[in-house]
Amino acid sequence: MAAAAAAAHGAESRKVITRVNEDVNFGEVTEKNIRMLSVLNEHVFPGRVFPATYSADVLANEDFCRLVFFNDLLVGYAIGRHEPEASSVSVTQVGVLEAYRRRGLARMLLDELASHVQRKHKGVTRFVADVGADASPATAALFKRAGYLPASPGSSVLTKHLV
């Protein structure tokens, strides 16, 4: 019963934009589901402290954020920040709950984020992700599989140019 109520609440609190298959779909960050994103964040990055302005910052950039639902459960997200002076979007976070990793959801999120931004913001020409020198090899590999390339040899800054 509780699972059905949670699924019903999940369906009401998001707008489905893209359905990949019967199990996976993507949605927007809204005022109705921002709290769910905050809770998810605490589970994906345990112990990490997010600023008090986190929710407001995400909502201010809602066109540059995507959520992934697996069987109507929120399991991951990709968050970007628009950099209009550079005609780019900086990908600041990508996270998927541990139990749902290794299913290609993070890669699908990055692809969906790029596709969504291309549809809504024709002026964006590239995506940028600074994976940092201390990033796991899996993080760098994820972005490379999604078409991001080093900005310069040996750089932790990866870019993806949109066509």
Side-chain angles (χ1 to χ4, degrees):
M1 184 76 157
H9 174 69
E12 291 173 6
S13 64
R14 64 168 165 48
K15 299 174 192 169
V16 174
I17 301 299
T18 307
R19 180 171 289 281
V20 176
N21 60 41
E22 64 276 357
D23 297 329
V24 178
N25 57 63
F26 298 98
E28 301 174 352
V29 175
T30 67
E31 287 187 25
K32 290 184 178 183
N33 64 22
I34 190 71
R35 181 68 187 127
M36 290 187 330
L37 174 61
S38 296
V39 171
L40 178 65
N41 228 338
E42 293 169 10
H43 290 281
V44 172
F45 297 108
R48 188 167 170 190
V49 177
F50 294 93
T53 60
Y54 178 78
S55 293
D57 293 344
V58 170
L59 286 170
N61 284 283
E62 66 183 299
D63 273 355
F64 307 97
C65 304
R66 303 302 289 156
L67 304 175
V68 64
F69 296 84
F70 191 87
N71 288 329
D72 288 330
L73 297 174
L74 176 60
V75 298
Y77 58 91
I79 298 176
R81 184 181 62 249
H82 189 210
E83 307 287 351
E85 66 284 348
S87 301
S88 66
V89 171
S90 294
V91 179
T92 59
Q93 287 184 305
V94 178
V96 174
L97 285 172
E98 188 170 0
Y100 294 89
R101 292 180 189 160
R102 312 294 310 158
R103 298 173 192 235
L105 295 173
R107 165 71 191 277
M108 285 188 248
L109 266 167
L110 289 173
D111 291 344
E112 168 63 17
L113 180 61
S115 177
H116 178 75
V117 169
Q118 279 186 298
R119 285 190 305 270
K120 293 190 126 195
H121 298 276
K122 304 291 185 205
V124 173
T125 59
R126 69 188 178 120
F127 278 73
V128 178
D130 187 349
V131 296
D134 59 343
S136 72
T139 300
L142 163 67
F143 280 96
K144 288 179 181 174
R145 282 192 311 275
Y148 287 70
L149 301 170
S152 60
S155 175
S156 66
V157 176
L158 305 175
T159 62
K160 177 179 182 171
H161 292 276
L162 303 177
V163 286

